[in-house]
Amino acid sequence: MQHRFHLNAVAALFVAGAAQQAAAATGEAPVVIVSGSRVEHSSMDFPAAIDVVDAERIRDSQMRVNASESLASVPGLVAQNRQNYAQDLQISSRGFGARSAFGVRGVKLIADGIPASMPDGQGQAATFNLDMAERLEVLRGPFSAVYGNHAGGVVQLFTRDGEGPPTLETSLSAGSDGARKVDVNAQGKAGNVGYVLDASRFDTDGYRDHSAARRDQAYAKLTLAPGAGGKLTITASALRQDNTQDPLGVTWATWRRDPRAGEIDTSDTAAIKRTFAERYNTRKSIDHQQIGAAWEQQLGGIAGGDSGKLRVTAYGGNRQVIQYQAFSRAFQAPASHSGGVVDFDRDFSGIDVSWVDVRALAGGKLTSTVGIEYGRSQDDRKGYENFTATELGVKGKLRRDETDTVASTDPYLQTEWAQSAWVLNAGLRHSRFKVDVSDRYLSNGNDSGGLRYSRTTPVAGLLYKVSPVLNVYASAARGFETPTLNELFYSGAGGGFNFGLQPARSTHLETGVKALLGADSRIDAAVFQVKTSGELVVDAASGGRTSYRNASETLRRGAEVSADTRFGYGFSARVALTALRAVYDQAFGNVQRGSRLPGVPKAYAYGELAWQSPSRALGAAVETVASARVYAEDSNTEQTAPGYAIVNLRLTARQEIGGWRFKQFARLNNVADKAYVGSVIVGDTNKRYYEGAPGRNWQLGASAQYQF
């Protein structure tokens, strides 16, 4: 049934007709993106794989808690809700980022032009404000190189600007496992000042045992036009999570017995043995706030240029985290161990200055961007034992005390020349990355020291417009990924700071096609290859402490297809298909050549058939999400997380009465109550790899908006 649906959806794209004239008749504007080129650009005419998720898909039919709700429909991307709000989402792009034990790495996160990833490459998608989202742009492939230390791709969130008369909106939603969310927002524009304000609270009892969470978010955005050709945007955001429970991973036997259950600690001396999560009360608290400003000024061109634009972005913030982990031999922790409690206070800041110049050249238009980006973070980091003489899961003796400073300085240049049917893009970025460690806890040795990395990453792409409705392109780049702080903290089993790690270096090739088929259909397809040397892989992982090493070469080859079409009578369909062979291309240790990269499915698919009434008052859809099996560690000898396919249903409604606008949605996810592993913790030494996904679950939501 699911295969038939996919084939029908793809076949429906090949609708005959004069596409150019029919597309013009629809009156719809082309999809505009800024990712990759840093200037407004038609996605059809840019030589890269890039998808846009619009506001309606993000906001109207889900709780807007996790970016994975919206990113499931993007090919090449695997965004998993781990059912663990202490560790955030697991997002991988073409296999990059799948090994991350928590948060997002290998994929750069940006919100309204402000990085949501730190200079070391680690980011948290939880900081995205989805309630005010206008769109998400997802860039994969070679052009990720123009963003520096992120070989996998870029996910950019753009929030709405305040426009029109003032509006006030409140929304309430609830779902299975005690999930509930309330959101209040206001927006509007007075004179030259637009404003957006939003605040929300999300609570859940959690699907998995010991996974309850509360998340408070606040967001503000001001847009000002103080002079001709100028625009100032100021954003501020805050995220707070107190004592978010961490359910940890479980072994295969435990998941088979009960997908919700935690792993029993067999060393527990209690009459009824508790799980590791219960015994150590594993949890995390996060307090994150930041502010940013972006100034754009339209100016005259330089040295004969037609026009120019100056853009200056600056930001700063603070992130405080305290996390209580679990390990089994607490009372015999080695002297070199940094303890089971992580406590850090991070200040971060950055600036990006760029100039865009537009001029005529050789019968075409040349658009050039030159800029420099600087980012810095400084952690006051402490580690404590997670026990006292009488109690576990509490802050004990100090075991780590250091200051970790990360800074990156990246000048870059991008240019595009467009003439008739040809579009040529090229870019160059030089990244200088440094880490400094000042160790104040010397009882287990002195970890003070520093690291310096540098890398130049060129990229080039060529697009040819075969016809007004068919474009073909090819692109290539050099990329790299530096180790994150969390990957540098340990060497071997319980060792100190790992000064021996080196960046992974990659070569990317991609070719693709973008086509408009008929009046209401579009298909994007790409094939790609990525060769990586020095891939960062798990060396040892136990009790929340993971060490890494550089492995030999890896090879990724794959294909992506996304297709959208609108039928008659309000029906539409979307298909996103990914096939990826990601393997180790050289043997190392006990890993054989040809072994699959862990955490990366060889196939992933999303399909949707939707209907909407002519007045848009009612809508309904059926969604299909399917994944091939996933390996949990490098040797591929442990039990894989099996492949799965699930079906979701959604229903939406809206009404307008005077100045009031009402919206409602209902979702039934995993209709067949399929038991499956939603994500894996790659390389866990204790073999607690598996994180269960929910069975059949529901969500309901309603909102009311008043325009004054």
Side-chain angles (χ1 to χ4, degrees):
M1 178 67 179
Q2 293 161 0
H3 297 295
R4 189 179 304 119
F5 163 66
H6 290 158
L7 292 172
N8 287 345
V10 174
L13 294 170
F14 298 92
V15 181
Q20 184 179 15
Q21 292 80 1
T26 66
E28 292 192 356
V31 177
V32 175
I33 51 97
V34 299
S35 299
S37 60
R38 298 180 184 271
V39 294
E40 287 192 355
H41 208 295
S42 166
S43 66
M44 184 77 176
D45 297 335
F46 190 67
I50 185 166
D51 282 74
V52 177
V53 184
D54 62 22
E56 184 174 354
R57 183 177 292 273
I58 298 170
R59 297 204 304 247
D60 287 357
S61 60
Q62 50 206 10
M63 293 182 72
R64 306 187 300 272
V65 175
N66 301 295
S68 57
E69 297 171 312
S70 304
L71 295 176
S73 62
V74 177
L77 204 71
V78 179
Q80 304 284 19
N81 179 356
R82 315 176 71 131
Q83 305 304 313
N84 184 347
Y85 290 93
Q87 305 295 7
D88 207 357
L89 300 181
Q90 186 181 75
I91 298 178
S92 65
S93 176
R94 297 185 175 177
F96 290 93
R99 70 173 182 273
S100 181
F102 68 93
V104 180
R105 60 100 63 248
V107 179
K108 187 161 188 174
L109 305 177
I110 305 172
D112 289 319
I114 307 297
S117 297
M118 293 295 105
D120 67 343
Q122 192 84 41
Q124 280 72 40
T127 59
F128 278 0
N129 186 294
L130 300 173
D131 294 305
M132 295 289 99
E134 189 66 34
R135 71 185 190 276
L136 284 162
E137 293 183 9
V138 183
L139 170 70
R140 291 96 61 204
F143 273 87
S144 304
V146 300
Y147 292 91
N149 182 25
H150 308 273
V154 180
V155 178
Q156 288 211 62
L157 170 74
F158 297 87
T159 60
R160 62 188 301 181
D161 288 347
E163 295 289 349
T167 62
L168 181 65
E169 181 180 28
T170 184
S171 63
L172 301 171
S173 54
S176 299
D177 303 310
R180 52 217 181 267
K181 180 181 176 182
V182 58
D183 176 79
V184 178
N185 66 74
Q187 74 89 38
K189 189 172 184 178
N192 290 329
V193 179
Y195 59 89
V196 174
L197 303 170
D198 180 73
S200 67
R201 166 167 286 183
F202 168 72
D203 288 281
T204 180
D205 298 334
Y207 166 72
R208 300 167 62 195
D209 291 348
H210 197 80
S211 62
R214 166 171 286 183
R215 178 185 292 173
D216 293 319
Q217 284 187 277
Y219 177 79
K221 181 178 184 180
L222 293 176
T223 52
L224 303 93
K231 180 181 179 181
L232 175 64
T233 302
I234 300 172
T235 59
S237 62
L239 167 72
R240 185 178 180 86
Q241 293 183 198
D242 285 326
N243 293 319
T244 300
Q245 293 179 337
D246 186 347
L248 306 177
V250 299
T251 62
W252 178 250
T254 297
W255 181 82
R256 286 292 301 271
R257 173 175 57 84
D258 183 354
R260 293 177 179 260
E263 191 71 25
I264 297 295
D265 183 356
T266 57
S267 68
D268 189 6
T269 57
I272 300 177
K273 295 186 184 299
R274 295 161 290 178
T275 66
F276 286 100
E278 292 168 337
R279 193 179 182 203
Y280 291 90
N281 191 18
T282 48
R283 62 200 185 275
K284 180 188 282 188
S285 294
I286 303 169
D287 192 358
H288 178 109
Q289 50 272 314
Q290 68 181 58
I291 188 169
W295 171 261
E296 292 183 353
Q297 180 65 54
Q298 196 75 35
L299 300 169
I302 297 177
D306 298 328
S307 64
K309 178 187 288 187
L310 175 68
R311 179 179 175 88
V312 180
T313 302
Y315 64 93
N318 176 264
R319 183 178 181 89
Q320 298 177 19
V321 172
I322 183 166
Q323 180 178 9
Y324 290 78
Q325 300 173 325
F327 55 88
S328 57
R329 297 180 61 194
F331 294 98
Q332 292 83 36
S336 62
H337 207 291
S338 62
V341 180
V342 177
D343 187 349
F344 71 83
D345 186 341
R346 172 180 298 161
D347 292 319
F348 59 92
S349 58
I351 188 168
D352 188 343
V353 181
S354 64
W355 171 262
V356 180
D357 182 77
V358 182
R359 64 184 62 215
L361 179 68
K365 184 175 76 170
L366 180 70
T367 304
S368 301
T369 303
V370 60
I372 186 168
E373 182 177 357
Y374 174 79
R376 184 179 188 272
S377 68
Q378 185 173 78
D379 291 11
D380 181 10
R381 182 174 292 264
K382 293 179 172 63
Y384 301 89
E385 294 176 346
N386 60 346
F387 60 90
T388 63
T390 59
E391 191 174 1
L392 301 180
V394 296
K395 186 183 289 187
K397 296 178 182 178
L398 182 71
R399 297 293 289 270
R400 187 172 202 153
D401 185 4
E402 64 191 42
T403 298
D404 305 311
T405 305
V406 181
S408 63
T409 305
D410 294 37
Y412 58 88
L413 170 67
Q414 292 177 244
T415 188
E416 176 185 284
W417 179 72
Q419 192 274 334
S420 184
W422 295 95
V423 180
L424 173 65
N425 282 267
L428 192 68
R429 184 179 181 113
H430 180 71
S431 299
R432 296 193 298 273
F433 179 89
K434 63 180 181 178
V435 180
D436 289 309
V437 180
S438 177
D439 188 4
R440 296 182 293 272
Y441 185 80
L442 305 180
S443 298
N444 59 358
N446 190 347
D447 268 346
S448 296
L451 288 168
R452 301 293 185 272
Y453 306 128
S454 65
R455 184 73 172 169
T456 299
T457 52
V459 60
L462 180 65
L463 181 140
Y464 178 65
K465 301 177 181 179
V466 179
S467 74
V469 295
L470 176 63
N471 294 345
V472 296
Y473 71 89
S475 58
R478 300 277 191 180
F480 83 119
E481 289 181 284
T482 64
T484 67
L485 270 180
N486 290 285
E487 291 163 345
L488 290 165
F489 280 143
Y490 306 102
S491 59
F497 203 90
N498 191 348
F499 291 103
L501 275 184
Q502 294 297 314
R505 303 174 304 280
S506 51
T507 301
H508 301 248
L509 301 173
E510 176 180 306
T511 185
V513 59
K514 304 184 180 190
L516 300 174
L517 304 171
D520 300 302
S521 302
R522 174 169 168 172
I523 183 168
D524 290 27
V527 294
F528 59 87
Q529 174 181 285
V530 185
K531 288 187 175 182
T532 301
S533 59
E535 183 91 24
L536 290 160
V537 301
V538 172
D539 187 20
S542 178
R545 287 156 299 281
T546 305
S547 62
Y548 293 83
R549 61 171 170 163
N550 292 103
S552 52
E553 295 183 357
T554 63
L555 176 65
R556 296 169 171 88
R557 286 177 174 161
E560 301 166 356
V561 178
S562 62
D564 293 273
T565 188
R566 288 182 295 173
F567 311 108
Y569 306 103
F571 285 94
S572 64
R574 176 169 176 80
V575 175
L577 306 174
T578 304
L580 175 60
R581 182 178 182 268
V583 300
Y584 290 105
D585 209 28
Q586 288 183 352
F588 68 96
N590 66 338
V591 178
Q592 300 299 312
R593 184 175 185 269
S595 297
R596 296 274 181 174
L597 268 63
V600 183
K602 66 178 180 180
Y604 194 83
Y606 175 88
E608 172 184 300
L609 179 64
W611 170 83
Q612 194 167 63
S613 66
S615 65
R616 301 174 66 86
L618 289 174
V622 55
E623 307 166 353
T624 302
V625 180
S627 174
R629 64 179 178 172
V630 171
Y631 289 95
E633 42 72 53
D634 293 318
S635 70
N636 296 177
T637 57
E638 297 291 340
Q639 171 66 48
T640 60
Y644 63 87
I646 61 171
V647 176
N648 308 322
L649 302 176
R650 72 173 191 256
L651 180 68
T652 59
R654 63 180 69 190
Q655 308 86 34
E656 293 189 21
I657 305 174
W660 288 94
R661 295 181 180 178
F662 302 96
K663 294 181 181 179
Q664 306 85 35
F665 77 87
R667 294 188 66 92
L668 184 62
N669 299 318
N670 194 359
V671 174
D673 200 24
K674 172 74 173 179
Y676 67 102
V677 175
S679 57
V680 298
I681 302 171
V682 171
D684 187 272
T685 304
N686 295 305
K687 301 186 179 182
R688 298 196 288 265
Y689 307 118
Y690 311 98
E691 299 177 296
R696 186 184 301 112
N697 63 94
W698 59 270
Q699 294 178 5
L700 295 173
S703 67
Q705 181 189 84
Y706 183 74
Q707 185 176 76
F708 293 90

